[in-house]
Amino acid sequence: MYQLKGVTKQYRRGKEAVDALAGVDLVIGDGDRLVIQGPTGGGKSTLLQMLGGLDRPTSGTVELDGVDLASLPEARLTKVRAESIGFVFQSFNLIPTLSARENVETALVPLGMRAADRRERAAEALASVGLGERRSHLPAELSGGQQQRVAIARALVKRPKVLLADEPTGNLDESMRDEIMELLEGLWKEHGLTFVMVTHDSAIARKAPRLATIERGQIKVTERAER
Ligand SMILES: Nc1ncnc2c1ncn2[C@@H]1O[C@H](COP(=O)(O)OP(=O)(O)OP(=O)(O)O)[C@@H](O)[C@H]1O
Ligand SMILES: [Mg+2]
């Protein structure tokens, strides 16, 4: 479970200061799915970075299962990221010179797993996103939707408890968008993940049981009955 209290993030650009997060309080339960919307520059990606321990807040606490990521020493934070948190971004961020399987395997390297086990787990993860046959393709040999599937397999291969997705369908056309959303939703249910997703897609937001809107660094959460 996540518990955020009074989280602020101030970026400095020369003399100018930007309050990307201006005091965010938020609880996200285990297995919850939270959709985040809001205008560009509102602080959505910044919040996701705090949840993922990719960056630290200027003030406030970001507890994940009672451990404050904001004050955790760097080595322990790296370990939490490697073991417990999967990321999917708008740009797929695959390594162009590695095959689909090798890209997925990169997530297992920090866990100190044997090469043979890594291979097997990566192949399994690719099969679970429907890409079992495309294991040895390079990213350039895959469509956008397929590249995002590889990125999703890479995020989930370590069996994290949390999946964070920042506009995962932002670079895809409509049909691929629906496919990827269905896949993510299926994986969320299947694995009991805590799933936080930023999206500009209002059709997705309308269906979300829990919707957060971030504007000028401030968050508002709307709860709705599950549909
Ligand atoms: N590394 C940085 N240095 C300086 N300012 C930053 C940095 N990252 C973000 N900002 C600023 O913080 C604010 C929030 O940015 P953020 O990326 O979180 O917005 P966002 O809601 O994700 O927007 P978008 O929908 O465009 O992705 C913006 O004003 C942005 O310019
Ligand atoms: Mg963003």
Side-chain angles (χ1 to χ4, degrees):
M1 180 175 94
Y2 275 110
Q3 184 149 30
L4 280 67
K5 286 194 192 138
V7 174
T8 72
K9 180 67 181 180
Q10 192 173 65
Y11 291 113
R12 295 202 159 274
R13 245 177 323 203
K15 275 190 229 149
E16 221 181 304
V18 180
D19 292 309
L21 294 176
V24 169
D25 298 313
L26 178 66
V27 173
I28 309 171
D30 286 339
D32 271 7
R33 184 178 53 143
L34 177 69
V35 172
I36 302 179
Q37 270 202 315
T40 177
K44 303 180 297 295
S45 296
T46 304
L47 177 64
L48 231 55
Q49 284 179 358
M50 302 300 138
L51 293 174
L54 290 173
D55 199 354
R56 294 174 196 268
T58 306
S59 65
T61 55
V62 181
E63 285 188 6
L64 175 59
D65 296 336
V67 175
D68 181 20
L69 304 183
S71 56
L72 210 58
E74 196 57 42
R76 283 191 55 203
L77 189 59
T78 303
K79 192 162 182 282
V80 170
R81 271 199 313 258
E83 290 175 353
S84 309
I85 303 173
F87 291 95
V88 179
F89 300 97
Q90 177 173 355
S91 51
F92 321 121
N93 293 352
L94 299 175
I95 299 170
T97 52
L98 298 182
S99 70
R101 201 204 69 230
E102 290 164 339
N103 265 288
V104 173
E105 272 188 49
T106 58
L108 298 176
V109 171
L111 304 186
M113 199 176 276
R114 287 174 42 229
D117 296 338
R118 280 207 309 260
R119 245 169 202 264
E120 198 181 310
R121 279 271 285 275
E124 245 171 61
L126 281 169
S128 78
V129 298
L131 281 183
E133 314 286 284
R134 303 288 162 101
R135 270 185 289 228
S136 27
H137 284 54
L138 293 173
E141 298 165 347
L142 297 168
S143 73
Q146 289 170 337
Q147 288 183 54
Q148 192 60 305
R149 283 168 187 268
V150 175
I152 292 168
R154 179 182 56 188
L156 294 179
V157 70
K158 59 193 173 191
R159 299 176 187 156
K161 72 173 268 141
V162 176
L163 178 64
L164 304 174
D166 197 347
E167 298 186 45
T169 59
N171 279 355
L172 303 174
D173 68 32
E174 211 164 312
S175 66
M176 295 245 202
R177 215 155 64 196
D178 295 346
E179 254 182 58
I180 293 291
M181 281 316 308
E182 257 171 54
L183 175 69
L184 285 170
E185 185 144 336
L187 291 166
W188 163 64
K189 285 191 181 137
E190 186 185 340
H191 299 287
L193 295 161
T194 302
F195 181 24
V196 182
M197 177 172 62
V198 173
T199 181
H200 282 294
D201 190 330
S202 40
I204 293 165
R206 269 199 302 277
K207 283 196 287 182
R210 201 162 179 240
L211 177 68
T213 308
I214 303 187
E215 203 166 349
R216 287 192 221 143
Q218 295 190 314
I219 194 166
K220 228 171 46 202
V221 180
T222 317
E223 317 270 353
R224 269 176 302 204
E226 188 84 55
R227 299 185 194 194

